Amino acid sequence: MEIEWQPIQSQTTTDATDAAATFEKPVSTKRILLLVLNVVLLIVGGSGNPLFVRIYFLHGGNRKWFASFLQTAAFPFLLLPLIFSFIRRRRSRSSSASSAPLFLISPFLLISSTVIGIITGLVNFFYSYGSSYLPVSTSSLLISTQLGFTALFALLIVRQKFTAPTINSVVLLTFSAVVLGVHANGDRPEGESTAKYLAGFAMMLGAAVLYGLVLPLTELMYTKAKQDISYTLVMEIQFVIAAAGTAFCAVGMAANNDFQAISEESHLYRLGETKYYVVVVFMALLTEASLLGITGTIKYSSALVSGIALAICVPISEVLAVLFLHEKFDAEKGVSLSLAIWGMISYFYGEYKTYLRNKTATMEHMVPISTSLSSPVN
C-alpha cells in the first residue's frame, strides 16, 4: 500500500505552511556549524568589546568619534577570507567557459548594506558616547533592551507576530531600564556631573533603539534579495556595512579634528602608549567579530536569534566588568539584571513555543488523499 501525502488546499493550510516556513530553514550539518561559529563570534565580540571601550575612556581616551570609528574599522581583515573564496571559485570554474565573478553582491544588496552601514555608524557613535560616561554594568544592561526594540521593529518590518511571552519580555526589559533610570546617580563615576551621566544614559538607550532597527532591516534585506545568500556573500555584505559605518564615523572624526589628536592622546594615555594601541586594536577586532557574527546569525537563523545572542552578552559583560574593572554591583543592578534575564528567557521560550505550534499546525493539515493497492495479476 502506498500513501501519497499532500496538503489540503485551504487558506488555513497556506497560512500555516507560510508561518512554518518562517521558522523552518533548511537544516544541515554545515548550516548548524556555521550558525554556531557566528553565534560564538557574536558572543565573544559582544561580551569583550564593552570592556575595552570602557578601558579606553576610563584611562584618558576622550575621542568619541574615534571610538565610534574603531567599532567597524577592522573590516579590511575580511579581505583575506574573501580573496581565498574568490580563488576557490576561480579554480572550480577553470574548466568551464564562464569565469568566477570578483564580487557576488548585487546592486540591491550593495545599496541596502550601505544604508544599514550608515545606521550602524550612528549606533556606534551613540554607544561610544554612552560608554564614555557609564560603567560597563550599566551600559550593558541598557543595551540589552535592544531585544525589546528588535521585537517591535520585527513586528513592523518583517511581520513577526507578537505573542504573550514576547509582550512579557518587552515589559520586563523596559522595567529593567526603568530600575536603572531611577537609580541613575547610584553608580555615577566619581567626578562626573549628573548632566553628563544622564546624557550618556539617553545615548545608550538610543543605541539600543537603533540596534533593534538594524537587525530586522538586515533580515528584510536577505528576504528581498533575489539571489542565494552564501557565507561568502554574508562576508561581502558585512564588508560593505562596516565600510559605510567607518566612512560615516570618519567624517565625524574629521569635523572634530580627531585624526590630529590621536598621537597626542596616545602619549598622554595613563596606561602608556603601547597599551593605548593594544586597547584600540582590540576594540576594532572584537567589534568586527561581533558584527560579522550578527550578520551570519541572521543569515543562518533570524534577527530574533541574533537579538537573543546579543542579550546573552549582558551577564557575561557584567561579570567581566566586576572582575577586571572592579565595578560595584549593587542591589538595584541585581534587580535590573534579573529582570533582563527573565525577559530574555521569556522571549526565547515564546519563540520556541511558536515554532512548535506552527510545525504542528502544518502536519495536522497534511492528510492521505490517495491509496493504491498493489496485487499480483493472474
Side-chain angles (χ1 to χ4, degrees), residues 67-119:
S68 307
F69 174 88
L70 290 171
Q71 304 295 307
T72 49
F75 72 92
F77 282 96
L78 291 175
L79 287 174
L80 295 177
L82 287 174
I83 291 172
F84 177 73
S85 177
F86 169 72
I87 293 174
R88 285 188 59 188
R89 292 201 308 274
R90 188 175 63 177
R91 287 178 178 174
S92 66
R93 297 195 182 190
S94 58
S95 58
S96 62
S98 60
S99 59
L102 181 59
F103 302 107
L104 299 178
I105 194 167
S106 65
F108 167 77
L109 288 175
L110 179 63
I111 295 172
S112 301
S113 299
T114 301
V115 173
I116 292 174
I118 292 172
I119 299 174

Side-chain angles (χ1 to χ4, degrees), residues 210-279:
L210 290 177
Y211 235 179
L213 175 63
V214 166
L215 302 184
L217 282 178
T218 304
E219 185 172 353
L220 179 65
M221 174 179 66
Y222 287 149
T223 303
K224 297 294 184 181
K226 297 180 179 179
Q227 64 183 113
D228 179 54
I229 307 294
S230 64
Y231 195 65
T232 298
L233 184 53
V234 169
M235 288 191 290
E236 288 186 10
I237 290 171
Q238 178 52 40
F239 185 91
V240 175
I241 290 174
T246 304
F248 176 83
C249 294
V251 173
M253 285 184 66
N256 201 44
N257 296 320
D258 282 4
F259 287 106
Q260 298 89 327
I262 292 174
S263 178
E264 180 181 357
E265 184 175 77
S266 67
H267 288 306
L268 299 176
Y269 198 63
R270 288 194 290 271
L271 295 180
E273 186 173 1
T274 300
K275 290 184 178 180
Y276 174 85
Y277 288 109
V278 169
V279 169

Side-chain angles (χ1 to χ4, degrees), residues 43-340:
I43 292 176
V44 170
S47 302
N49 181 63
L51 207 67
F52 281 91
V53 173
R54 185 57 183 164
I55 289 172
Y56 168 77
F57 287 111
L58 200 58
H59 296 284
N62 58 11
R63 295 287 164 176
K64 299 176 182 63
W65 277 111
F66 178 48
S68 307
F69 174 88
L70 290 171
Q71 304 295 307
T72 49
F75 72 92
F77 282 96
L78 291 175
L79 287 174
L80 295 177
L82 287 174
I83 291 172
F84 177 73
S85 177
F86 169 72
I87 293 174
R88 285 188 59 188
R89 292 201 308 274
R90 188 175 63 177
R91 287 178 178 174
S92 66
R93 297 195 182 190
S94 58
S95 58
S96 62
S98 60
S99 59
L102 181 59
F103 302 107
L104 299 178
I105 194 167
S106 65
F108 167 77
L109 288 175
L110 179 63
I111 295 172
S112 301
S113 299
T114 301
V115 173
I116 292 174
I118 292 172
I119 299 174
T120 300
L122 188 58
V123 171
N124 293 340
F125 177 71
F126 281 15
Y127 181 82
S128 297
Y129 193 101
S131 297
S132 66
Y133 298 124
L134 300 177
V136 173
S137 51
T138 301
S139 62
S140 295
L141 285 169
L142 286 174
I143 206 68
S144 72
T145 60
Q146 59 81 24
L147 186 56
F149 295 115
T150 298
L152 176 60
F153 287 120
L155 170 68
L156 298 175
I157 295 173
V158 295
R159 304 301 180 189
Q160 186 165 327
K161 294 182 179 179
F162 262 32
T163 62
T166 302
I167 296 172
N168 182 55
S169 174
V170 172
V171 171
L172 288 170
L173 289 168
T174 301
F175 273 110
S176 173
V178 169
V179 169
L180 287 178
V182 172
H183 186 58
N185 285 323
D187 64 345
R188 180 160 51 90
E190 186 178 349
E192 184 177 295
S193 68
T194 301
K196 287 183 177 180
Y197 182 91
L198 293 177
F201 196 97
M203 292 293 271
M204 192 60 72
L205 272 180
V209 173
L210 290 177
Y211 235 179
L213 175 63
V214 166
L215 302 184
L217 282 178
T218 304
E219 185 172 353
L220 179 65
M221 174 179 66
Y222 287 149
T223 303
K224 297 294 184 181
K226 297 180 179 179
Q227 64 183 113
D228 179 54
I229 307 294
S230 64
Y231 195 65
T232 298
L233 184 53
V234 169
M235 288 191 290
E236 288 186 10
I237 290 171
Q238 178 52 40
F239 185 91
V240 175
I241 290 174
T246 304
F248 176 83
C249 294
V251 173
M253 285 184 66
N256 201 44
N257 296 320
D258 282 4
F259 287 106
Q260 298 89 327
I262 292 174
S263 178
E264 180 181 357
E265 184 175 77
S266 67
H267 288 306
L268 299 176
Y269 198 63
R270 288 194 290 271
L271 295 180
E273 186 173 1
T274 300
K275 290 184 178 180
Y276 174 85
Y277 288 109
V278 169
V279 169
V280 299
V281 167
F282 268 91
M283 283 171 62
L285 292 178
L286 286 171
T287 309
E288 190 58 41
S290 177
L291 292 174
L292 180 59
I294 290 171
T295 310
T297 300
I298 294 173
K299 191 280 185 232
Y300 292 107
S301 184
S302 66
L304 162 69
V305 174
S306 182
I308 292 171
L310 280 169
I312 291 173
C313 297
V314 174
I316 300 175
S317 297
E318 295 277 354
V319 173
L320 293 175
V322 172
L323 290 177
F324 295 103
L325 299 182
H326 307 292
E327 292 186 358
K328 62 179 181 178
F329 194 81
D330 50 26
E332 285 83 359
K333 286 185 181 178
V335 171
S336 180
L337 179 60
S338 299
L339 290 171

